[in-house]
Amino acid sequence: MKKKINNNFKFNKQNILKAKSIIAKYPKKFQISATIPLLHLVQVQLDGWISKSSIEYISKFLKIPLIRVYEVAGFYHMFNLKKVGNNCIHVCTTTSCWLRGSNLILKEFEKNLKIKVGETTNDNLVTLKEIECLGACINAPVVKINNNFCENLKLKDVKNLINKLTSRKKVLINKNA
């Protein structure tokens, strides 16, 4: 017997139009290629994460096997499969960043936020994650906050970044803290 899909998630009116526009860019036989942009759309609609029912919805929307959507959502670091705080901090710990002190920066975030990697602050303001390679090795160490990159970070920059986040100031793209 086929398991019934619990489908609580649906695109809102604006996103259904965007989704149809995205799908129209791909030939009929290759609409599976729309999986990544549709997952991005879901994550925006759900304020930073992708729920199980939204993955099921995308599977049905694209008429592709559920496992194909799970494979994509689970593979890429930019997709959050559980709720995250308003700000998601990704600290790169790949070799280039690690050699320039990203492990110390990660520990400083943990100390100042009073959370460990994978946790969210009690006020739901920040989730801390460790990540492999953000692709900015020349400017290591690198931290990504939501979709903004902070490069050439120093240990002293962590408190400044946290202060910006807690005072709800925007962290600028590709700027030092």
Side-chain angles (χ1 to χ4, degrees):
M1 186 172 150
K2 201 172 190 180
K3 186 178 178 183
K4 186 178 178 192
I5 292 177
N6 175 11
N7 219 351
N8 298 328
F9 176 86
K10 291 188 183 205
F11 279 131
N12 60 32
K13 289 179 184 180
Q14 181 183 5
N15 285 342
I16 196 79
L17 295 174
K18 287 180 183 179
K20 287 179 180 180
S21 173
I22 290 167
I23 291 171
K25 295 177 184 179
Y26 300 96
K28 288 266 186 229
K29 290 183 179 181
F30 299 103
Q31 290 182 342
I32 192 171
S33 299
T35 304
I36 289 176
L38 291 181
L39 286 171
H40 276 290
L41 201 55
V42 166
Q43 191 159 275
V44 169
Q45 184 171 321
L46 291 178
D47 294 323
W49 75 294
I50 298 171
S51 67
K52 183 180 180 210
S53 68
S54 66
I55 290 173
E56 293 167 345
Y57 179 82
I58 296 299
S59 167
K60 192 174 181 183
F61 196 82
L62 289 174
K63 299 178 181 104
I64 61 174
L66 183 59
I67 190 64
R68 296 293 176 232
V69 183
Y70 270 113
E71 288 171 338
V72 173
F75 179 78
Y76 292 102
H77 79 270
M78 73 275 254
F79 297 126
N80 299 307
L81 299 180
K82 63 180 186 175
K83 287 186 180 184
V84 294
N86 296 340
N87 297 287
C88 196
I89 299 174
H90 292 90
V91 179
C92 179
T93 56
T94 307
T95 306
S96 297
C97 286
W98 180 81
L99 287 171
R100 306 255 343 249
S102 67
N103 59 325
L104 301 174
I105 287 171
L106 182 61
K107 287 179 183 179
E108 190 71 10
F109 272 114
E110 288 179 330
K111 179 179 133 191
N112 285 277
L113 292 168
K114 297 176 178 64
I115 59 173
K116 297 288 182 194
V117 170
E119 295 178 346
T120 301
T121 55
N122 290 335
D123 61 2
N124 202 39
L125 188 60
V126 177
T127 298
L128 183 61
K129 292 187 169 193
E130 184 176 1
I131 192 166
E132 291 294 320
C133 198
L134 288 169
C137 301
I138 196 165
N139 294 318
V142 180
V143 170
K144 183 177 89 156
I145 302 175
N146 301 326
N147 291 319
N148 302 313
F149 290 78
C150 302
E151 302 171 347
N152 294 309
L153 285 180
K154 308 287 182 255
L155 200 54
K156 65 181 180 171
D157 296 330
V158 171
K159 283 187 181 178
N160 185 25
L161 283 171
I162 291 171
N163 288 337
K164 285 181 181 180
L165 293 174
T166 55
S167 65
R168 303 207 178 349
K169 290 181 182 172
K170 185 172 176 138
V171 177
L172 299 175
I173 296 174
N174 291 326
K175 296 287 181 188
N176 289 337

